[in-house]
Amino acid sequence: MTDHSRGPRLRSPLRGPWLTSVFGLVLLIGLPVVIVTGLLSYIAYGPQFGQARPGDVGWLHLPYFAWPTRPSWLYRLTQGLHVGLGLILVPIVLAKLWSVIPKLFVFPPVRSPAQALERLSLIALVGGALFEIITGVLNIQYDYIFGFDFYTAHYWGAWVFIAGFVTHTILKVPLMVRSLRSRSFREVLRTSRADTRPEPADENGLVAEDPTPATISRRGALALVGGGAALVAVLSVGQTTGGFLRGAALLLPRGRSYGNGPNDFQINRTAAAAQITPEQTDDTWRLAVAGGAEPVQLSRSQLRAMPSHTASLPIACVEGWSTVETWTGVRLRDLADAAGVTAFASAKVTSLERSGAFNQAVLTADQVRDADALLALEVNGAELSLDHGYPARIIVPALPGVHNTKWVQSIEFREA
Ligand SMILES: Nc1nc2c(c(=O)[nH]1)N[C@H]1C(S)=C(S)[C@@H](COP(=O)(O)O)O[C@H]1N2
Ligand SMILES: [Mo]
């Protein structure tokens, strides 16, 4: 007989397999979306060029494919879902943890090899989930405050979590289905606090042995948790929708500085932070294009004399925020032609910036050849501001924000 009496006296009449299973079902639907979009983000970073982080993941590497350029809002959607849904599910993760607290105090803690495996998977599941939430939230709140690389930690933490999640799902889905069938959801929504009774005693010991009278109904508890998730949603979506909700986007404060007029949209890294000097961006600036028979140097007026193209494209940051602006500049494929480049497999873009981790990016041939892939000189009909990458920046449909390099110095078309 399992002894549940050693822990604190947990007497809420709401705890039970049904309530746990309701939270479990929501997470079973939502978390795979967070997992898959997270893994897609890793692939979108271009691991084939060694520019995803961590760079070398050994035998655990994912099947790579060239990240497409269409639809142009693809990364905006996948990464918005990853961060947005990840945040929205936090109250539900916490509610689910609350609902299973009695299991922490089961004694003896390990009774059989099968149960030891279950407990181990729980450590991976709970530890992994909390680790991913904490590293993810800290990354969008602060600029790289870790002593370790965020991407590396979040990536490996994800695999620990995925292992726990898959094992737990396999072990628990039958119990979840049975528990959900044990009472009708509609009935719960019609039951007031006064009529709220504990669930029948269960073999897992979730149901309290001597419950107190209900201080909140089940529907009240569900509304509370759902309300928490809705509040998180309201506090997050503004970074993507813009408009009046922008001021409420307390949970995604990165891209916190904004420019003026046509340049009034999120700036992740200012020119000052990137230590871009006035001498680097004055009239002596030249774009170096390599990969043809001879390297070519183009001044800004020469770029302006080339055929110009305008496209409405998003910047979508790994941190979840995104914004759509109208960009004007020279098509990257026209630049390749102008430099006499005939065949290429990739293009390496390098910034004037010397210090940062994001001062270069490699683009695939498909990304370069897209009709909307630009070396942008203007945004929303005005000159690019220094903070948005003057004299020129990369802007490519569906490219992760991080690879839309600002303050471009050179583009090298490569055969590999
Ligand atoms: N040179 C350089 N380019 C850069 C960055 C950077 O740090 N240095 N940050 C990137 C990131 S992470 C994003 S999301 C976008 C943000 O562009 P914005 O500041 O114009 O909104 O620029 C990208 N280009
Ligand atoms: Mo970003």
Side-chain angles (χ1 to χ4, degrees):
M1 178 70 196
T2 308
D3 177 2
H4 292 289
S5 63
R6 297 197 171 211
R9 280 160 65 83
L10 298 161
R11 300 183 59 193
S12 168
L14 296 192
R15 276 203 192 86
W18 183 83
L19 190 68
T20 294
S21 297
V22 171
F23 297 139
L25 179 62
V26 175
L27 295 176
L28 184 60
I29 295 166
L31 286 175
V33 176
V34 179
I35 291 170
V36 170
T37 50
L39 295 176
L40 285 176
S41 180
Y42 182 83
I43 293 169
Y45 264 56
Q48 67 273 38
F49 300 123
Q51 63 182 349
R53 298 173 187 209
D56 182 10
V57 297
W59 57 270
L60 242 184
H61 92 83
L62 296 162
Y64 305 154
F65 54 86
W67 187 249
T69 55
R70 298 287 154 181
S72 68
W73 40 262
L74 183 65
Y75 189 74
R76 190 176 193 223
L77 176 75
T78 60
Q79 196 57 15
L81 273 176
H82 180 68
V83 176
L85 200 55
L87 287 170
I88 287 167
L89 291 179
V90 170
I92 297 154
V93 169
L94 296 179
K96 175 124 196 294
L97 284 176
W98 171 85
S99 78
V100 296
I101 293 176
K103 294 211 51 163
L104 291 178
F105 301 101
V106 170
F107 194 87
V110 172
R111 276 168 287 144
S112 67
Q115 198 234 13
L117 181 72
E118 193 218 320
R119 297 241 123 189
L120 202 66
S121 77
L122 275 185
I123 293 173
L125 178 75
V126 176
L130 295 179
F131 184 80
E132 292 304 275
I133 290 171
I134 291 167
T135 51
V137 168
L138 285 180
N139 184 56
I140 58 180
Q141 294 288 316
Y142 306 100
D143 217 333
Y144 311 106
I145 57 164
F146 308 101
F148 46 86
D149 178 44
F150 158 74
Y151 291 90
T152 305
H154 204 66
Y155 183 86
W156 291 116
W159 282 111
V160 172
F161 168 69
I162 290 168
F165 180 76
V166 169
T167 312
H168 189 71
T169 301
I170 292 168
L171 293 175
K172 295 294 187 180
V173 157
L175 176 61
M176 183 191 80
V177 172
R178 251 183 292 135
S179 305
L180 287 174
R181 289 205 175 123
S182 71
R183 65 183 51 213
S184 125
F185 196 79
R186 285 173 162 219
E187 204 56 49
V188 169
L189 294 186
R190 282 199 219 102
T191 307
S192 68
R193 179 181 63 81
D195 293 330
T196 298
R197 304 276 172 270
E199 294 182 44
D202 66 316
E203 77 264 31
N204 286 302
L206 294 181
V207 180
E209 277 166 18
D210 53 345
T212 54
T215 51
I216 184 172
S217 63
R218 277 190 190 81
R219 69 177 176 206
L222 292 176
L224 196 68
V225 177
L231 182 67
V232 173
V234 170
L235 296 181
S236 311
V237 293
Q239 279 291 354
T240 284
T241 60
F244 74 99
L245 276 171
R246 188 162 102 185
L250 301 176
L251 290 175
L252 295 168
R254 293 290 297 285
R256 189 190 278 112
S257 31
Y258 286 78
N260 299 312
N263 278 277
D264 178 24
F265 59 96
Q266 294 92 324
I267 303 162
N268 233 12
R269 190 163 167 84
T270 61
Q275 293 177 297
I276 300 296
T277 63
E279 302 76 56
Q280 287 179 296
T281 58
D282 66 15
D283 289 346
T284 61
W285 175 83
R286 296 288 178 276
L287 174 76
V289 188
E294 295 287 331
V296 175
Q297 304 264 333
L298 295 164
S299 69
R300 222 162 176 280
S301 45
Q302 285 172 305
L303 289 168
R304 287 196 161 282
M306 291 176 65
S308 102
H309 179 70
T310 297
S312 193
L313 294 173
I315 295 221
C317 183
V318 70
E319 292 152 9
W321 64 261
S322 58
T323 182
V324 180
E325 308 294 336
T326 302
W327 310 88
T328 302
V330 180
R331 284 188 169 114
L332 293 179
R333 64 187 191 196
D334 290 351
L335 278 175
D337 290 345
V341 180
T342 45
F344 62 92
S346 67
K348 181 177 176 184
V349 179
T350 307
S351 173
L352 294 168
E353 181 184 356
R354 288 286 150 264
S355 47
F358 305 129
N359 59 2
Q360 59 174 56
V362 180
L363 308 175
T364 66
D366 286 345
Q367 286 164 345
V368 170
R369 287 205 191 94
D370 189 285
D372 283 345
L374 295 177
L375 180 74
L377 307 172
E378 292 176 16
V379 65
N380 302 320
E383 202 77 89
L384 275 182
S385 70
L386 196 54
D387 283 335
H388 284 302
Y390 180 92
R393 83 174 297 167
I394 296 293
I395 190 93
V396 171
L399 195 67
V402 62
H403 291 152
N404 290 307
T405 309
K406 305 198 271 191
W407 316 292
V408 173
Q409 178 175 45
S410 64
I411 303 177
E412 181 199 350
F413 293 93
R414 311 187 304 183
E415 276 170 21

